[in-house]
Amino acid sequence: EADIYQTPRYLVIGTGKKITLECSQTMGHDKMYWYQQDPGMELHLIHYSYGVNSTEKGDLSSESTVSRIRTEHFPLTLESARPSHTSQYLCASSDRGRGGRETQYFGPGTRLLVL
Amino acid sequence: KNQVEQSPQSLIILEGKNCTLQCNYTVSPFSNLRWYKQDTGRGPVSLTIMTFSENTKSNGRYTATLDADTKQSSLHITASQLSDSASYICVVSAFTSGTYKYIFGTGTRLKVLA
C-alpha cells in the first residue's frame, strides 16, 4: 500500500463554490500528478509537477490550478466549481526507478459532485 | 500516436475460472508496461511491471506476459475470486527527453460471479 493520501474522499458542492482537493505523500517523491477519471473511462492527466515550484499542464485541458510549495503536498484548486467538473480526481506520485522501472503510486481518489 | 488498447472492454466469469485480458500498444520509445487493478471508487494499484527484456511476471494468481516484438501483453488470472472483480488497466510508459510519459488503456472491467 502506497503512502499517498487524498482528502476529501467524497465532496458534494454547489455551483460557483471554490474547492481545494488535497494530496500528500510521505515517500519523498519529486514527481506528482493529478488525473481526472470519469466512470468507466481512462485516466486523463491534467497536471503534473517534477518538484517544488514546478507545475505543468497535462494532456487534458482543465480549469483547475495546482501548486507545489512543499515536496509532499500537491493541492488542486477549482476557483468556481461547475457541474462539468463532476468526476473522480486521482493523485499520484512516482519514484525515480531503476532500469526503466519508474513506478506511479496512486491515492484513493476524490469523487466530486457539483450540483 | 502513442496508444494503448485493451480487450475485452468487459468480462463476466464464474468464480474459480481462469481468464486472460489483452493489451496492445503502439508506444515509442517503450520503457515498461504495467498492469494495475482498480477497484470501484479507488485508485489503481500496481500488479506487475515488465521492461523490454522481460516476457513474463507473476504476482500470486496474476501472470502477465509481454511480447515486445508484436507489442502485445496479456494478464492471466488463475482461479478467479469474487475480490478480483475490478477494472484492470494496462499502462505503457515511454522515456523521452529525460522523462517518463504514461499512456493509459481504457481498462477491462471484470466481474466475477459466485
Side-chain angles (χ1 to χ4, degrees):
Chain A
E1 193 90 8
D3 296 323
I4 180 164
Y5 310 97
Q6 291 186 242
T7 57
R9 291 294 316 282
Y10 305 92
L11 180 61
V12 181
I13 201 162
T15 297
K17 299 293 185 182
K18 178 180 177 179
I19 59 171
T20 296
L21 308 185
E22 302 288 349
C23 175
S24 61
Q25 49 95 7
T26 58
M27 298 173 282
H29 291 167
D30 289 324
K31 299 177 183 179
M32 296 189 73
Y33 313 79
W34 276 103
Y35 291 89
Q36 185 173 341
Q37 184 184 32
D38 292 326
M41 302 298 287
E42 68 222 79
L43 281 72
H44 292 283
L45 181 67
I46 52 176
H47 298 283
Y48 61 97
S49 166
Y50 285 163
V52 171
N53 294 326
S54 152
T55 61
E56 301 286 346
K57 289 190 177 295
D59 304 322
L60 181 68
S61 175
S62 174
E63 295 168 345
S64 59
T65 59
V66 292
S67 62
R68 189 86 183 277
I69 299 173
R70 303 198 317 264
T71 297
E72 61 272 19
H73 197 214
F74 191 40
L76 180 145
T77 298
L78 276 166
E79 289 293 332
S80 179
R82 294 190 281 121
S84 61
H85 296 138
T86 294
S87 189
Q88 176 165 254
Y89 293 85
L90 289 162
C91 179
S93 69
S94 63
D95 58 19
R96 294 180 182 273
R98 290 183 181 180
R101 293 176 184 277
E102 183 178 279
T103 298
Q104 277 189 318
Y105 299 90
F106 285 86
T110 293
R111 301 193 98 173
L112 173 65
L113 173 60
V114 183
L115 302 174
Chain B
K1 181 184 177 183
N2 288 330
Q3 273 188 314
V4 176
E5 295 182 348
Q6 293 186 241
S7 61
Q9 190 173 12
S10 60
L11 182 62
I12 301 174
I13 61 173
L14 294 176
E15 188 178 16
K17 297 296 185 182
N18 304 336
C19 67
T20 300
L21 315 180
Q22 300 290 342
C23 173
N24 297 339
Y25 63 91
T26 53
V27 174
S28 181
F30 175 89
S31 178
N32 64 60
L33 185 147
R34 186 179 294 277
W35 283 93
Y36 282 91
K37 178 186 179 187
Q38 185 179 21
D39 293 314
T40 301
R42 307 285 298 183
V45 175
S46 177
L47 294 175
T48 64
I49 180 173
M50 290 176 291
T51 59
F52 186 87
S53 59
E54 297 172 302
N55 54 26
T56 188
K57 186 67 68 75
S58 291
N59 179 0
R61 294 180 297 102
Y62 301 103
T63 299
T65 64
L66 172 65
D67 185 334
D69 291 331
T70 61
K71 299 186 177 181
Q72 295 179 327
S73 176
S74 65
L75 179 69
H76 186 75
I77 304 175
T78 303
S80 61
Q81 300 176 357
L82 297 178
S83 59
D84 292 331
S85 295
S87 287
Y88 291 84
I89 304 171
C90 176
V91 183
V92 181
S93 68
F95 187 72
T96 180
S97 302
T99 189
Y100 287 92
K101 185 177 176 65
Y102 298 91
I103 299 92
F104 288 77
T106 54
T108 292
R109 303 189 84 176
L110 175 66
K111 179 71 174 176
V112 181
L113 301 178

